[in-house]
Amino acid sequence: MFDLDPWTLLTIVALGCITVITRSFFFMSSKPWTLPHWAQRGLQYAPIAALAAVVIPEIVTTQGVFISTWQDARLFAAFAGMAWFFWKRGVLGTIVCGTAVYLPLRLVLGW
């Protein structure tokens, strides 16, 4: 059914074993283990960094190329959402404000 050579099979099994060992490493220790303070503090910023890594390229690029015009609804929606967030500090209002700016520009003006 599948044409699987021995090296590919060995690679899959080896990577599976490495994954299981590295993910279960913390369960193998008998003593409690905690991260250093600097690592705990650094991990607090991981969700924001991951979100920025996903959202920012979506705003400033189209099909992997930087946008070349200001007539892009995503830019104005992002600025409106940021303004709302810095004014009110509410996530739901940020989403509603950004969407309220994006939809008319996109649907009515065709940006």
Side-chain angles (χ1 to χ4, degrees), residues 5-74:
D5 65 275
W7 286 109
T8 304
L9 183 61
L10 178 66
T11 302
I12 292 170
V13 170
L15 287 173
C17 290
I18 290 170
T19 301
V20 168
I21 290 169
T22 56
R23 290 182 183 255
S24 63
F25 176 73
F26 300 106
F27 299 122
M28 292 180 198
S29 177
S30 61
K31 61 181 182 175
W33 187 83
T34 59
L35 285 172
H37 179 68
W38 60 268
Q40 288 178 356
R41 183 172 173 160
L43 285 175
Q44 290 176 348
Y45 299 102
I48 291 175
L51 184 63
V54 171
V55 171
I56 291 174
E58 186 63 33
I59 293 171
V60 298
T61 63
T62 299
Q63 296 180 356
V65 179
F66 283 110
I67 57 173
S68 59
T69 179
W70 282 99
Q71 287 186 329
D72 195 321
R74 297 173 297 174

